[in-house]
Amino acid sequence: MQPNLHYPLSPIPYTPPRHVAIIMDGNGRWAKSRGLPRTAGHKKGADTLRSTLNACRDAGVKYLTIYAFSSENWKRPSDEISDLMQLLRHYLQKELDTLHENKVRLRFIGDLSQLDKDIRASIDDAMEMTARNGAFNLTVALSYGSRQEIVRAVRRIVEKGVAASDITEETLAEALDTAELPEPDLLIRTGGEQRLSNFLLWQAAYTEFYFTDILWPDFDTKHFTEALQDYAGRERRYGTTGEE
Ligand code: IPE
Ligand code: IPE
Ligand code: MG
C-alpha cells in the first residue's frame, strides 16, 4: 500500500532519507533555451540550491551533498570556469552568515588544491566557522572526482604504512573525503542524464537513484518532494531477500 503522503501540507508520515546527494545538472541547457549565456543558468541554479536546502531541512533530511564542479569540469572553457568560481565566491560571501545562523555545518570535498588561493582560504574559513554546527550538514563537492578521491585515499593509507592484510572496507571509507558523512540514501540527478559522472562511486553502492528530466534551475520544492515520495516507496534490500 502506498504511504499516505501529504507533504508539505502536513508533516511527512514516513522516514525521510537521512542523506540526499544531488547532481545539479542542466544549467547550460536551461540558459540556452532562453537565449541566455550559460552563466545565467548557473546563477539561477544557485537559487534552486537555496530552496532545496530549505526543503531538505523542512523534510527532516540531515545531510545534503551537492555536486557543484567535477574534476572533469576543468576541461570547460576558461570563461565558464571563472564565472563559476566567481559565483562560488559570491555565494559563500552572501550565504555563509545565514548558514551559520541556521547551524548548518559546511564541508567541501574534492581536490581543493586546484582552486585559486582566495577561494581555498574562504573555504577553510567557512569550514572552520561552521565546524561546531550540528543542525544540518551541507557538503559541496568541488573539483571533485570519485576516482581521484579513491586514489587519494589509497595514497593516504599507504603513506600511513598500513599493512595490506589490515586493510578493510572501513579503512578505505575512513580515508575518503566523505569519512565524516553517512552514505547517501537518495541520489537525485536533474537534467535528464542517467549517469554518475564520477560522483560518489564508492559511497553510492546501495544508494537509491532518482533521475528527472527537469533542469536544475527549474527544480523546485514540488519536484524535490516528488523525489522524496518516490524514495519512500522504495524497498531497500541490501542483497537480502527482503523478508524478515
Ligand atoms: C551543471 O550544469 C553545472 C555544472 C556542471 C557546473 P551544466 O553546466 O552541466 O548544464 P548542461 O548539462 O550543459 O545543461
Ligand atoms: C556533472 O555534470 C557534474 C556536475 C553537475 C557538477 P556534467 O554536466 O559535468 O556531466 P556530464 O558531462 O554530462 O557527464
Ligand atoms: Mg551537464
Side-chain angles (χ1 to χ4, degrees):
M1 207 176 79
Q2 272 292 98
N4 186 18
L5 304 169
H6 297 297
Y7 180 82
L9 300 174
S10 63
I12 297 187
Y14 56 83
T15 313
R18 182 176 179 214
H19 183 177
V20 175
I22 305 185
I23 302 176
M24 312 182 293
D25 197 23
N27 296 352
R29 279 163 285 165
W30 182 91
K32 196 174 172 206
S33 71
R34 285 164 176 75
L36 298 169
R38 294 178 64 83
T39 307
H42 297 317
K43 269 199 192 125
K44 183 73 172 32
D47 295 339
T48 303
L49 176 56
R50 222 169 278 124
S51 61
T52 303
L53 183 65
N54 290 332
C56 276
R57 291 162 60 220
D58 289 348
V61 172
K62 287 287 177 198
Y63 292 81
L64 174 65
T65 299
I66 49 161
Y67 206 5
F69 191 85
S70 75
S71 40
E72 289 71 32
N73 289 150
W74 289 113
K75 296 177 198 152
R76 293 195 178 195
S78 58
D79 280 3
E80 182 173 355
I81 295 175
S82 52
D83 284 348
L84 277 165
M85 294 303 154
Q86 200 48 38
L87 197 63
L88 175 71
R89 283 186 183 92
H90 185 73
Y91 189 88
L92 264 181
Q93 206 180 19
K94 209 167 143 230
E95 302 293 330
L96 184 58
D97 286 343
T98 314
L99 291 171
H100 188 43
E101 276 163 24
N102 286 302
K103 305 263 181 296
V104 175
R105 179 161 185 189
L106 195 55
R107 293 181 178 87
F108 288 81
I109 57 172
D111 182 4
L112 305 178
S113 69
Q114 305 260 5
L115 300 166
D116 285 351
K117 249 190 174 159
D118 72 296
I119 297 191
R120 254 160 44 209
S122 305
I123 285 175
D124 286 347
D125 289 350
M127 290 204 283
E128 167 60 31
M129 177 174 169
T130 62
R132 282 154 296 280
N133 292 342
F136 191 81
N137 296 273
L138 173 63
T139 302
V140 183
L142 193 62
S143 183
Y144 175 89
S146 196
R147 287 183 172 179
Q148 293 87 331
E149 179 196 29
I150 292 169
V151 170
R152 279 199 304 279
V154 171
R155 286 189 181 146
R156 280 180 199 141
I157 294 165
V158 171
E159 276 163 12
K160 276 210 265 171
V162 181
S165 56
D166 288 341
I167 295 178
T168 62
E169 289 186 16
E170 283 71 35
T171 316
L172 194 73
E174 284 164 13
L176 293 171
D177 297 356
T178 51
E180 294 179 358
L181 309 177
E183 289 179 3
D185 300 295
L186 170 65
L187 186 145
I188 298 170
R189 181 169 187 150
T190 62
E193 313 300 346
Q194 304 197 356
R195 54 180 171 248
L196 278 176
S197 301
N198 207 8
F199 192 42
L200 304 177
L201 303 181
W202 169 279
Q203 298 86 341
Y206 271 101
T207 298
E208 298 294 330
F209 289 178
Y210 182 86
F211 298 107
T212 169
D213 288 340
I214 306 290
L215 304 172
W216 176 248
D218 288 327
F219 189 76
D220 62 20
T221 304
K222 177 175 66 71
H223 298 123
F224 181 69
T225 305
E226 280 166 13
L228 294 188
Q229 289 177 337
D230 193 271
Y231 171 82
R234 307 277 179 101
E235 188 195 350
R236 303 184 75 184
R237 287 192 293 277
Y238 300 99
T240 70
T241 59
E243 286 160 21
E244 297 289 306

Coordinates of all heavy atoms in Angstrom, one line a residue, residues 24-30 38 42 67-70 73 76 80 84 193 215, ligand 1:
M24 N 23.5 18.4 -9.7 CA 22.7 19.5 -10.2 C 23.1 19.8 -11.6 O 23.9 20.6 -11.9 CB 23.1 20.7 -9.3 CG 23.1 20.5 -7.8 SD 23.5 21.9 -6.8 CE 25.2 22.3 -7.3
D25 N 22.3 19.2 -12.5 CA 22.7 19.3 -13.9 C 21.6 19.9 -14.8 O 20.4 19.8 -14.4 CB 23.0 17.8 -14.5 CG 23.8 17.9 -15.8 OD1 24.5 18.9 -16.0 OD2 23.7 16.9 -16.5
G26 N 22.0 20.6 -15.8 CA 21.1 21.2 -16.8 C 21.1 22.7 -16.8 O 20.3 23.3 -17.5
N27 N 22.0 23.3 -16.1 CA 22.1 24.8 -16.1 C 22.3 25.4 -17.5 O 21.7 26.4 -17.8 CB 23.2 25.3 -15.2 CG 23.0 24.9 -13.7 OD1 21.9 24.4 -13.4 ND2 24.0 25.1 -12.9
G28 N 23.2 24.8 -18.2 CA 23.6 25.3 -19.5 C 22.4 25.2 -20.5 O 22.1 26.2 -21.2
R29 N 21.7 24.1 -20.5 CA 20.6 23.9 -21.4 C 19.4 24.8 -21.0 O 18.7 25.4 -21.8 CB 20.1 22.4 -21.4 CG 21.0 21.5 -22.3 CD 20.8 20.1 -21.9 NE 21.5 19.7 -20.7 CZ 21.3 18.6 -20.0 NH1 20.4 17.8 -20.5 NH2 22.0 18.4 -18.9
W30 N 19.3 25.0 -19.7 CA 18.2 26.0 -19.2 C 18.5 27.4 -19.8 O 17.6 28.0 -20.3 CB 18.2 26.0 -17.7 CG 17.2 26.9 -17.1 CD1 15.9 26.5 -16.7 CD2 17.3 28.3 -16.8 NE1 15.2 27.6 -16.2 CE2 16.1 28.7 -16.3 CE3 18.3 29.3 -17.0 CZ2 15.8 30.0 -15.8 CZ3 18.1 30.6 -16.6 CH2 16.8 30.9 -16.0
R38 N 25.4 30.6 -20.6 CA 25.4 29.5 -19.7 C 25.4 30.0 -18.2 O 24.8 29.4 -17.3 CB 26.5 28.6 -19.9 CG 26.5 27.9 -21.3 CD 27.7 27.0 -21.5 NE 27.8 25.9 -20.5 CZ 27.1 24.7 -20.6 NH1 26.4 24.5 -21.6 NH2 27.2 23.8 -19.6
H42 N 23.7 29.0 -14.4 CA 24.4 28.7 -13.1 C 23.9 29.6 -12.0 O 23.7 29.2 -10.8 CB 25.9 28.9 -13.3 CG 26.5 27.9 -14.3 ND1 26.2 26.6 -14.3 CD2 27.4 28.1 -15.3 CE1 26.9 26.0 -15.3 NE2 27.7 26.9 -15.9
Y67 N 26.8 18.2 -6.0 CA 28.0 18.1 -7.0 C 27.9 19.5 -7.7 O 27.1 19.8 -8.5 CB 27.7 17.0 -8.0 CG 28.9 16.4 -8.7 CD1 30.2 16.7 -8.3 CD2 28.7 15.4 -9.6 CE1 31.2 16.1 -9.0 CE2 29.7 14.8 -10.3 CZ 31.0 15.2 -9.9 OH 32.1 14.5 -10.5
A68 N 28.9 20.3 -7.3 CA 28.9 21.7 -7.8 C 29.9 21.8 -9.0 O 29.7 22.6 -9.9 CB 29.3 22.7 -6.7
F69 N 31.0 21.1 -9.0 CA 32.0 21.2 -10.0 C 32.9 19.9 -10.0 O 33.5 19.6 -9.0 CB 32.9 22.4 -9.7 CG 33.8 22.9 -10.9 CD1 33.3 23.7 -11.9 CD2 35.1 22.4 -11.0 CE1 34.1 24.0 -13.0 CE2 35.9 22.8 -12.0 CZ 35.4 23.6 -13.0
S70 N 32.9 19.3 -11.2 CA 33.6 18.0 -11.2 C 35.1 18.2 -11.6 O 35.4 19.2 -12.2 CB 32.9 17.0 -12.1 OG 33.2 17.4 -13.5
N73 N 35.1 19.0 -15.1 CA 34.6 20.3 -15.5 C 35.7 21.3 -15.7 O 35.5 22.4 -16.3 CB 33.6 20.9 -14.5 CG 32.3 20.1 -14.5 OD1 31.6 20.1 -13.4 ND2 31.8 19.6 -15.6
R76 N 36.2 22.6 -19.3 CA 35.3 23.6 -19.9 C 36.1 24.9 -20.3 O 37.2 25.1 -19.8 CB 34.2 23.9 -18.9 CG 33.3 22.7 -18.7 CD 32.0 23.1 -18.0 NE 31.2 21.9 -17.9 CZ 29.9 21.9 -17.6 NH1 29.3 23.0 -17.5 NH2 29.2 20.8 -17.5
E80 N 33.8 30.1 -18.7 CA 32.8 29.5 -17.9 C 33.3 29.1 -16.5 O 32.7 29.3 -15.5 CB 32.2 28.2 -18.6 CG 31.1 27.6 -17.7 CD 30.3 26.5 -18.5 OE1 30.6 26.2 -19.6 OE2 29.4 25.9 -17.8
L84 N 32.0 30.4 -12.9 CA 31.5 29.5 -11.9 C 32.2 29.8 -10.6 O 31.6 29.8 -9.5 CB 31.8 28.1 -12.3 CG 30.7 27.5 -13.2 CD1 31.2 26.2 -13.8 CD2 29.4 27.2 -12.4
E193 N 20.2 13.3 -17.8 CA 21.2 12.2 -18.0 C 21.1 11.2 -16.9 O 20.8 11.6 -15.7 CB 22.6 12.8 -18.0 CG 22.8 14.1 -18.8 CD 22.6 13.9 -20.2 OE1 22.4 12.7 -20.7 OE2 22.4 14.9 -20.9
L215 N 15.4 20.4 -15.5 CA 16.7 21.0 -15.5 C 16.9 21.7 -14.1 O 15.9 22.2 -13.5 CB 16.8 22.1 -16.6 CG 16.5 21.6 -18.0 CD1 16.5 22.7 -19.0 CD2 17.6 20.5 -18.4
Ligands
IPE1 C1 25.6 21.6 -14.2 O1 25.0 22.2 -15.4 C2 26.6 22.6 -13.5 C3 28.0 22.2 -13.7 C4 28.4 21.2 -14.3 C5 28.9 23.2 -13.2 P1 25.7 22.1 -16.8 O2 26.6 23.3 -16.9 O3 26.4 20.8 -17.0 O4 24.5 22.2 -17.7 P2 24.2 21.4 -19.0 O5 24.3 19.9 -18.7 O6 25.2 21.8 -20.0 O7 22.8 21.8 -19.4

